[in-house]
């Protein structure tokens, strides 16, 4: 992947105009349907578990699952409200741009630092409980924008637990999870297993993680259910590729 990524950035991405980049990528995202993972996210939103979504993906799949749910979309230089509802609203951040509005970030130098506006939004929205899903944590701009408050915990959900002995690749994940007092809060399983749309399975996983994480601390499951989650979503919506993260280098 590293070699392919380098070849693409050097020979295709670099030197392209903003619209050229959109035109280059748009055909690959046509006719995509939300996968199980996205439908599970929608279910958690509809049941009130998630209030904020941050994604690195360019594609419109989260836009699709939110189309009938009141939400605000934040893209670099743009804040868009789908429709207003005083009782329920989701904050949706597309941190690396959008195929409709541009501001795409993909090359390493583009990922090192986000715009001050997007950094501020991400920092604010990740102050509460955060669930990181299907993300490799390789974008330093995103990792630096995440809130480091110890007030609330975080969960890192992926098919395999990041190798924390590999500090070169995963040092930023290790540091952030420890800063959030959440170094025991890794949820792992077979590919696709933790994307199951069953709310019961999700709750069982959370209960196991909270009560058996080995830290000597316990949170009441009832109280935990009352909290609204922040979701950092890096899962890829194309069903052919739902086991890997999208454009995170």
């Amino acid at each position: 992947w590293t070699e392919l990524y380098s070849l693409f950035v050097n020979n295709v991405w670099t030197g392209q105009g903003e619209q050229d980049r959109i035109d280059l990528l748009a055909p690959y995202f046509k006719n995509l349907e939300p996968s199980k993972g996205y439908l599970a996210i929608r279910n958690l939103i509809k049941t009130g578990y998630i209030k904020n979504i941050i994604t690195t993906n360019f594609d419109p799949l989260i836009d699709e699952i939110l189309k009938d749910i009141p939400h605000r979309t934040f893209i670099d230089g743009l804040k868009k409200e789908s429709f207003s509802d005083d009782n329920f609203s989701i904050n949706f951040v597309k941190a690396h741009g959008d195929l409709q509005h541009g501001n795409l970030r993909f090359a390493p130098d583009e990922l090192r630092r986000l715009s001050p506006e997007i950094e501020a939004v991400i920092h604010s929205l990740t102050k509460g409980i955060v669930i990181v899903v299907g993300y490799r944590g390789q974008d330093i701009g995103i990792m630096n924008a995440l809130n480091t408050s110890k007030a609330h915990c975080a969960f890192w959900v992926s098919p395999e637990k990041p190798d924390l002995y590999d500090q070169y690749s995963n040092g930023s994940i290790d540091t952030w999870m420890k800063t959030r007092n959440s170094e025991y809060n890794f949820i792992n399983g077979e590919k696709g297993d933790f994307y199951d749309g069953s709310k019961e399975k999700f709750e069982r996983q959370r209960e196991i993680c909270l009560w058996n994480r080995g830290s000597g601390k316990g949170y009441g499951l009832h109280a935990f259910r009352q909290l609204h989650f922040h979701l950092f979503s890096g899962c890829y919506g194309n069903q052919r590729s739902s086991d890997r993260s999208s454009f995170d280098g």
Side-chain angles (χ1 to χ4, degrees), residues 7-235:
L7 286 171
F8 182 83
V9 169
N10 290 336
N11 298 301
V12 180
W13 193 254
T14 302
Q16 296 282 346
E18 186 67 42
Q19 188 60 49
D20 296 328
R21 291 176 171 183
I22 293 173
D23 294 341
L24 174 70
L25 294 176
Y28 296 96
F29 293 96
K30 283 184 178 179
N31 303 317
L32 292 182
E33 296 291 334
S35 67
K36 266 190 192 179
Y38 282 91
L39 297 179
I41 292 169
R42 176 178 169 81
N43 182 45
L44 293 170
I45 293 169
K46 296 287 281 186
T47 51
Y49 284 101
I50 292 173
K51 291 291 289 181
N52 305 298
I53 300 175
I54 304 166
T55 184
T56 60
N57 294 348
F58 305 148
D59 63 61
L61 291 171
I62 293 184
D63 303 75
E64 179 67 21
I65 66 171
L66 291 176
K67 66 182 181 181
D68 62 344
I69 298 174
H71 66 280
R72 288 183 293 269
T73 301
F74 296 86
I75 306 171
D76 199 6
L78 173 71
K79 177 182 176 183
K80 178 180 68 173
E81 294 201 17
S82 62
F83 50 94
S84 60
D85 186 325
D86 292 337
N87 298 317
F88 187 71
S89 185
I90 299 297
N91 295 304
F92 175 36
V93 182
K94 304 193 85 167
H96 289 171
D98 176 83
L99 284 176
Q100 181 180 357
H101 301 98
N103 294 318
L104 304 182
R105 294 175 181 268
F106 184 67
D109 62 313
E110 297 165 348
L111 301 177
R112 290 191 185 102
R113 185 71 186 266
L114 303 177
S115 71
E117 294 79 11
I118 291 297
E119 277 188 354
V121 171
I122 292 174
H123 190 264
S124 174
L125 296 184
T126 55
K127 185 177 181 180
I129 294 177
V130 179
I131 305 176
V132 181
V133 181
Y135 176 62
R136 292 175 60 235
Q138 301 302 297
D139 309 328
I140 193 64
I142 293 286
M143 296 303 296
N144 287 341
L146 296 177
N147 200 299
T148 56
S149 169
K150 295 180 182 295
H152 299 286
C153 61
F155 296 86
W156 197 281
V157 185
S158 57
E160 297 179 358
K161 181 179 178 180
D163 180 4
L164 302 182
Y165 289 104
D166 180 6
Q167 288 290 298
Y168 178 82
S169 300
N170 300 317
S172 59
I173 299 173
D174 187 26
T175 299
W176 184 68
M177 291 293 281
K178 286 178 177 176
T179 301
R180 298 288 296 244
N181 289 329
S182 301
E183 59 266 39
Y184 298 100
N185 294 353
F186 287 91
I187 300 177
N188 315 108
E190 293 298 320
K191 293 178 180 179
D193 182 55
F194 48 78
Y195 293 125
D196 192 294
S198 164
K199 188 173 74 172
E200 289 75 18
K201 174 178 283 190
F202 186 77
E203 290 180 344
R204 285 200 304 272
Q205 289 174 322
R206 288 183 295 148
E207 185 173 14
I208 290 169
C209 185
L210 286 171
W211 287 101
N212 299 313
R213 60 183 184 164
S215 66
K217 300 178 182 177
Y219 296 92
L221 182 61
H222 175 73
F224 190 76
R225 282 175 176 164
Q226 306 310 307
L227 297 172
H228 285 170
F229 296 132
H230 305 291
L231 176 78
F232 187 95
S233 173
C235 58

